[in-house]
Amino acid sequence: LKRTNRGTVEWDLECEFNNTDHRTELNGVEQLIVRRGQPFTINLHLRSGEYQPGGSALDLTVETGPQPSDQYGTRASFGLTDQIDTSRWSAAVTSPPGYMVSLSICSPPDAPIGRWRLTLGQGGLVEFVLLYNPWCTGDVVYMDSEEKLAEYVLAQDGIIYRGSWKYLIPTPWNFGQFEDGILEACLRILEMNPKCLRNPGKDASGRKNPIYVSRVLSAMVNCNDDKGVLLGRWTDDYDGGVSPLSWKGSVEILRNWDTNACQPVRFGQCWVFAAVACSVSRALGIPCRVVTNYNSAHDTNSNLVIERYVDENGQLVQKSRDMIWNYHCWVENWMTRPDLKPGYDGWQAMDPTPQEKSEGVYCCGPIPLKAIKEGELTYKYDAPFVFAEVNADVHTFMKRKDGSTEKIISSVQVGLKISTKSVGSDRREDITHLYKYPEGSDEEREAFTKANHQNKLLQQQTNAGLLIAIKVSAEMKKGCDFDVFAVVTNNTPNGKKCRLVFGSRAVSYNGILGENCGFKDLLNVELAPGEGQLKRVPLRMNYSKYAENLTEDNLIRLGALLLDYGTQEAYLAVRNVVLENPEIKVRILGEPKENRKLVAEITLQNPLPVPLQNCCFTVEGSNLTGGQIITEKLNSTVEPGQDAKVKIYFTPTHSGQRKLVVDFDSNKLCHVKGYRNVIIGK
């Protein structure tokens, strides 16, 4: 790439060399994209005269934002020095005297990120993009592991965990942060945020700080207060958009937003918000990962208690905005926290799903994981809300027909199996220990004391000798009939007469209940006295009953309420079960090599007792499908037990391991996800 400066000099931005050296070459080599705190090279070709050390001067100026200022770090002027100073804007000549001058230029490791303009001498103007540099020890996002950087910055695909804490479902996702146009969309997110629109000069200066930028991203990934990327929808009505389950990656979402005048993309739910935030963070150079918290509490009144009400049939009665989500996803960004006392650097929780307002805006975080673990709820930002998500106490009350309420005994816990994808593999990493001390430990009690969580401190384990639990079958596949069991145990020396209400309802992942899927009310359950005497009560789940009521989440909520006639005490057991979708099998035909066409043979067997119609496979993958979604529809109906099979052609463009992400849809079986890792050789 050569430009001419008033006919006296040409320059070459060496985009391919610089971008490769700065690990941004996957963004393309058409523009200069570099990381702060690391030198880059520009070659000047003089048309008259030679460069002589000490005899030639060159003044350079860099600027970013609409109101560049030396005071706020958005403008700097500097000349040539003998050698590069990586702590500030500096430039040095690295070539011998001659008509070609190699100029090494470096930004400070705390320079604001974004679009910069570099003026060479009297008029030569160079434009480039500056990103965070987690490879630079002076950058506050520095991470000292190449293996982790390959995962948390460079990996363009990953795994997001859904399902339930008893049945975790790994869902593939194409983050695609290096795909064509995505970096431009990410920079536009920064430019469209309300803080930038109100005071662009101050906002440009703020971009030196990943704490500030993370907070902006948390607000801008949702559109509740601004021209953000995604509109959330937690009902079955997706008119005017698509189901959140239809997305396989962030690329289409970010492109749609960027090319449609920043109109919100419809629709998102928590894992989509988190995944897009992860794509943007990685694109800007902040190490980032998506995490999933099972049995995640949504505490609306900051009392660290979730109050739930059931009726005399054990069915949930919605009296409070407080909820327990089956799971909830957010992201963690890696950075130091110079605004807090030492010891709170590292992973910071940041949640772009719009739940509660923070400083008047729907955003959340960043808050150090250590602050959550230690119960330091005065630390920035939004520590009480995140603490409650993983540590809230759950109080369950039964509301009787006469309007009276009484507390019932329940064993519901929040903050279970907090999960993320492992570094360098598709295995799950359990990171619950980063958020919580072990249940019942001295350290846990100390954290609750700091958090002033009196409910947890005073909680007494009440056990009248009756226990109720829900057990399930080994395989609960969509399309099959199966049994679930309420198991009642009598540990008292007396016989017991009880009423057992055992019901099931479809439920969405955020706890909204749907229709009945099966119900049993036993008025006279007799339990023999003695240690461990138990009774198993089955409830049959028939496909014909649950099929039409099931939501896209494939979740059924089981609730078993036991009423002791003698003591009038009530006991509640609740469990969410996930119906397993069929496996998508992907077979790669041919040897995967760069720029060589490949064939993927994709197969799914119909597990339902009814035919599948309007079957469609969609596929995408970073550096595999050219940033596009490939769609293949079946013309024929797929009968029960038969295979839906297609062949899809694609051409890899870069070497390395990539995920081919597959989605299957039909009239009766929607959004079945699958993937295949494809290792591309040169």
Side-chain angles (χ1 to χ4, degrees):
L1 177 66
K2 293 188 177 181
R3 304 284 176 84
T4 302
N5 172 18
R6 295 188 176 182
T8 61
V9 63
E10 288 185 341
W11 63 80
D12 187 343
L13 299 185
E14 294 283 355
C15 290
E16 185 170 356
F17 170 79
N18 285 317
N19 290 9
T20 302
D21 192 44
H22 286 246
R23 300 172 178 85
T24 64
E25 75 280 2
L26 289 176
N27 285 304
V29 294
E30 292 74 33
Q31 63 174 330
L32 182 59
I33 305 169
V34 293
R35 300 187 185 275
R36 64 187 192 175
Q38 180 177 342
F40 59 93
T41 299
I42 294 178
N43 290 331
L44 307 180
H45 300 272
L46 307 179
R47 288 194 173 182
S48 59
E50 291 187 3
Y51 167 76
Q52 295 295 332
S56 304
L58 181 62
D59 296 321
L60 301 96
T61 302
V62 287
E63 298 176 327
T64 186
Q67 300 162 5
S69 160
D70 292 74
Q71 180 182 358
Y72 294 112
T74 52
R75 183 184 184 277
S77 296
F78 52 101
L80 298 178
T81 54
D82 291 338
Q83 59 184 15
I84 286 292
D85 181 351
T86 57
S87 68
R88 61 181 181 86
W89 283 103
S90 61
V93 174
T94 58
S95 59
Y99 291 100
M100 195 279 286
V101 180
S102 284
L103 204 60
S104 184
I105 301 171
C106 191
S107 64
D110 62 349
I113 64 158
R115 304 181 198 275
W116 283 80
R117 304 171 296 281
L118 167 63
T119 304
L120 296 163
Q122 297 301 309
L125 184 65
V126 170
E127 294 183 344
F128 63 97
V129 174
L130 189 67
L131 303 177
Y132 292 112
N133 192 353
W135 286 268
C136 172
T137 55
D139 198 315
V140 292
V141 300
Y142 172 68
M143 182 176 264
D144 64 352
S145 165
E146 286 289 339
E147 189 181 19
K148 290 180 180 178
L149 287 163
E151 180 70 51
Y152 299 134
V153 181
L154 300 180
Q156 294 187 82
D157 49 52
I159 298 291
I160 298 173
Y161 289 91
R162 299 176 58 247
S164 74
W165 75 276
K166 288 278 192 179
Y167 185 73
L168 288 72
I169 298 177
T171 304
W173 192 269
N174 178 31
F175 295 113
Q177 68 269 27
F178 298 120
E179 292 284 12
D180 186 44
I182 298 304
L183 179 58
E184 286 70 21
C186 296
L187 294 174
R188 194 174 186 189
I189 288 172
L190 299 183
E191 293 157 4
M192 294 304 297
N193 96 79
K195 294 178 180 178
C196 181
L197 299 177
R198 283 195 302 268
N199 191 335
K202 184 179 179 182
D203 175 77
S205 176
R207 294 178 195 172
K208 66 179 64 173
N209 187 350
I211 302 170
Y212 175 84
V213 168
S214 292
R215 199 147 172 81
V216 165
L217 295 184
S218 174
M220 281 295 293
V221 169
N222 70 73
C223 68
N224 286 44
D225 310 282
D226 42 48
K227 289 184 174 291
V229 177
L230 278 160
L231 177 63
R233 179 65 60 84
W234 284 269
T235 67
D236 289 335
D237 177 17
Y238 300 124
D239 288 346
V242 298
S243 161
L245 281 165
S246 69
W247 305 114
K248 294 172 292 302
S250 307
V251 176
E252 186 181 10
I253 294 169
L254 289 166
R255 282 182 180 161
N256 285 352
W257 177 82
D258 190 37
T259 57
N260 289 295
C262 304
Q263 293 300 303
V265 178
R266 303 165 186 259
F267 294 99
Q269 290 178 2
C270 72
W271 72 93
V272 185
F273 286 109
V276 170
C278 183
S279 296
V280 178
S281 295
R282 290 183 183 182
L284 298 178
I286 303 174
C288 185
R289 63 187 184 184
V290 178
V291 302
T292 302
N293 176 42
Y294 289 93
N295 282 14
S296 188
H298 180 171
D299 180 22
T300 58
N301 57 9
S302 301
N303 68 347
L304 306 182
V305 176
I306 304 299
E307 294 183 344
R308 305 204 304 176
Y309 295 83
V310 297
D311 61 21
E312 290 180 88
N313 288 327
Q315 300 298 325
L316 200 63
V317 179
Q318 215 65 55
K319 278 191 63 176
S320 166
R321 286 184 60 229
D322 286 357
M323 298 285 290
I324 298 178
W325 292 27
N326 192 56
Y327 64 86
H328 181 50
C329 300
W330 58 78
V331 296
E332 295 170 2
N333 283 357
W334 178 274
M335 66 192 73
T336 62
R337 289 300 297 263
D339 58 324
L340 303 176
K341 71 179 184 181
Y344 290 85
D345 300 336
W347 289 117
Q348 317 283 316
M350 185 265 279
D351 191 349
T353 299
Q355 296 182 88
E356 299 294 321
K357 287 191 174 184
S358 171
E359 298 180 339
V361 176
Y362 279 101
C363 66
C364 180
I367 178 70
L369 269 57
K370 185 178 178 182
I372 303 304
K373 186 171 183 176
E374 301 293 343
E376 298 283 6
L377 302 197
T378 61
Y379 283 17
K380 293 181 177 180
Y381 290 89
D382 309 305
F385 187 80
V386 181
F387 183 89
E389 287 183 304
V390 300
N391 272 315
D393 199 10
V394 182
H395 292 176
T396 306
F397 300 88
M398 184 167 65
K399 184 174 182 179
R400 298 190 180 276
K401 292 176 182 177
D402 61 8
S404 63
T405 60
E406 65 179 86
K407 191 172 182 180
I408 62 177
I409 299 166
S410 177
S411 58
V412 176
Q413 288 182 301
V414 303
L416 301 174
K417 289 192 177 177
I418 305 175
S419 303
T420 191
K421 176 186 175 296
S422 292
V423 172
S425 83
D426 288 344
R427 292 191 300 273
R428 183 183 75 92
E429 181 182 353
D430 193 305
I431 57 172
T432 310
H433 65 284
L434 298 181
Y435 284 85
K436 307 168 70 168
Y437 284 106
E439 195 82 25
S441 66
D442 291 342
E443 294 88 349
E444 184 197 42
R445 291 187 63 82
E446 187 177 337
F448 289 151
T449 301
K450 283 184 188 175
N452 197 26
H453 195 353
Q454 299 302 322
N455 301 288
K456 283 277 191 181
L457 290 168
L458 299 174
Q459 185 179 11
Q460 298 295 319
Q461 280 300 110
T462 306
N463 187 349
L466 284 180
L467 297 174
I468 185 165
I470 295 174
K471 303 295 182 183
V472 299
S473 306
E475 289 191 351
M476 295 174 289
K477 297 192 174 185
K478 195 172 181 180
C480 297
D481 299 340
F482 58 92
D483 287 320
V484 293
F485 302 90
V487 180
V488 184
T489 308
N490 181 12
N491 289 320
T492 73
N494 306 313
K496 291 283 186 179
K497 287 189 176 181
C498 304
R499 177 189 177 194
L500 175 63
V501 183
F502 193 11
S504 62
R505 290 174 70 177
V507 64
S508 60
Y509 85 96
N510 64 329
I512 302 297
L513 290 171
E515 297 301 315
N516 173 38
C517 295
F519 183 78
K520 181 175 283 187
D521 188 354
L522 303 178
L523 297 175
N524 292 296
V525 175
E526 295 194 5
L527 302 171
E531 187 70 27
Q533 289 295 323
L534 59 83
K535 193 176 193 74
R536 289 169 64 93
V537 178
L539 179 65
R540 189 68 171 169
M541 306 299 298
N542 294 304
Y543 175 76
S544 59
K545 177 75 173 177
Y546 69 71
E548 298 304 320
N549 297 330
L550 209 58
T551 70
E552 291 181 314
D553 298 301
N554 280 359
L555 286 166
I556 295 176
R557 179 185 184 269
L558 306 173
L561 180 67
L562 186 70
L563 299 170
D564 184 340
Y565 288 130
T567 64
Q568 295 301 303
E569 287 186 299
Y571 305 82
L572 178 69
V574 176
R575 180 165 179 175
N576 289 338
V577 298
V578 186
L579 301 191
E580 187 180 350
N581 272 324
E583 178 189 2
I584 295 179
K585 296 180 180 178
V586 182
R587 194 161 66 100
I588 303 298
L589 308 180
E591 183 183 354
K593 287 193 174 184
E594 280 186 31
N595 302 312
R596 176 189 289 181
K597 185 175 283 189
L598 279 180
V599 182
E601 184 181 79
I602 302 173
T603 309
L604 176 142
Q605 187 179 69
N606 178 11
L608 305 183
V610 294
L612 299 181
Q613 298 172 334
N614 305 318
C615 299
C616 179
F617 287 96
T618 54
V619 170
E620 70 172 290
S622 292
N623 307 129
L624 293 177
T625 60
Q628 305 300 316
I629 295 173
I630 300 173
T631 301
E632 287 288 340
K633 295 182 178 179
L634 273 68
N635 296 323
S636 57
T637 296
V638 180
E639 298 296 331
Q642 288 188 347
D643 287 343
K645 182 181 290 188
V646 296
K647 287 185 178 179
I648 289 179
Y649 297 84
F650 62 98
T651 304
T653 55
H654 291 82
S655 61
Q657 180 172 295
R658 302 285 186 266
K659 272 187 178 58
L660 196 66
V661 181
V662 185
D663 190 23
F664 174 82
D665 271 289
S666 73
N667 61 324
K668 294 286 185 181
L669 206 59
C670 292
H671 307 305
V672 182
K673 306 287 186 184
Y675 72 96
R676 169 70 183 264
N677 286 326
V678 184
I679 300 176
I680 312 299
K682 291 189 176 181

